[in-house]
């Protein structure tokens, strides 16, 4: 993934900036000018932490790649824990999911942020929501951990036969 990502950043820093400049230039939201200054944060997968301001991020959509990579880095710990001590692993993952959900609520309350992206929040609450909640791994790890837990459950059930009535599920 990183070589393709690096190529996209290279294109955004060099070629794309020159292609889109002109009388109909309408791509400031992509932050192409910021790529010249902050491209290295993307390659290190820390662009959801630095730069601090969302408006200074190179390729603003790439925050998710950083969060996904950060979650991937800690996943071997949980997989090993599930493999060696199943009950402890499940407990730790459940506790982290709960902590992540509680933390998201606490951050929303502390900064007065809406709990939904629907509606018409002001620009200030949208930016603050992105800075404190939306792009951070500690508020995004819940689905990742739940997926890991379900993957482990399906993997451990592989040896057991689970009866599925095909007519019932396909017929309804």
């Amino acid at each position: 993934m990183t070589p393709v990502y690096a190529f996209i950043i290279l294109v955004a820093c060099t070629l794309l900036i020159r292609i889109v400049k002109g009388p109909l230039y309408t791509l400031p939201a992509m932050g192409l000018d910021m790529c010249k200054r902050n491209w290295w944060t993307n390659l290190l997968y820390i662009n959801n932490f630095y730069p601090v301001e969302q408006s200074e991020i190179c390729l603003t959509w790439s925050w998710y790649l950083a969060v996904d990579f950060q979650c991937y880095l800690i996943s071997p710990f949980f997989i090993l824990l599930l493999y060696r001590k199943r009950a402890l692993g499940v407990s730790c993952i459940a506790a982290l999911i709960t902590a992540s959900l509680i933390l998201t609520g606490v951050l929303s309350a502390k900064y007065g942020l809406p709990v939904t992206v629907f509606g018409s929040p002001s620009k200030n609450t949208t930016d603050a929501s992105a800075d404190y909640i939306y792009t951070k791994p500690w508020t995004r790890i819940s689905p990742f951990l739940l997926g890991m837990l379900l993957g482990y459950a399906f993997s451990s059930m592989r040896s057991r036969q689970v009866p599925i009535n095909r007519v019932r599920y396909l017929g309804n």
Side-chain angles (χ1 to χ4, degrees):
M1 175 175 83
T2 302
V4 174
Y5 189 35
F7 178 73
I8 291 170
I9 294 168
L10 177 68
V11 169
C13 287
T14 58
L15 188 61
L16 196 57
I17 291 173
R18 285 159 180 68
I19 290 173
V20 298
K21 294 276 182 174
L24 300 176
Y25 177 59
T26 59
L27 295 174
M30 288 180 64
L32 298 179
D33 292 332
M34 296 303 153
C35 285
K36 287 181 178 179
R37 200 170 38 234
N38 298 319
W39 60 270
W40 59 274
T41 62
N42 291 58
L43 289 181
L44 294 175
Y45 296 101
I46 60 169
N47 56 313
N48 59 332
F49 292 111
Y50 183 87
V52 176
E53 295 294 323
Q54 287 295 116
S55 59
E56 295 181 15
I57 293 177
C58 171
L59 304 173
T60 55
W61 50 266
S62 64
W63 66 267
Y64 185 77
L65 296 174
V67 170
D68 199 40
F69 183 75
Q70 292 156 5
C71 291
Y72 176 77
L73 279 179
I74 65 166
S75 64
F77 169 75
F78 293 108
I79 292 170
L80 190 62
L81 194 59
L82 283 169
Y83 181 72
R84 298 241 170 128
K85 297 185 179 193
R86 179 180 182 194
L88 182 61
V90 170
S91 299
C92 283
I93 290 174
L96 279 175
I97 290 171
T98 304
S100 174
L101 295 173
I102 290 170
L103 180 64
T104 303
V106 167
L107 289 172
S108 293
K110 179 180 179 183
Y111 295 107
L113 303 172
V115 293
T116 179
V117 294
F118 301 110
S120 55
S122 70
K123 172 129 176 57
N124 291 340
T125 60
T126 302
D127 288 346
S129 183
D131 287 340
Y132 297 118
I133 295 174
Y134 197 70
T135 63
K136 300 302 181 242
W138 46 82
T139 58
R140 289 288 181 164
I141 199 165
S142 295
F144 189 86
L145 291 174
L146 183 60
M148 188 181 304
L149 198 57
L150 288 173
Y152 176 75
F154 288 137
S155 175
S156 63
M157 289 182 359
R158 188 180 306 168
S159 61
R160 295 185 228 151
Q161 287 290 352
V162 179
I164 297 175
N165 187 346
R166 292 180 192 262
V167 176
R168 179 177 172 197
Y169 291 107
L170 296 176
N172 289 336

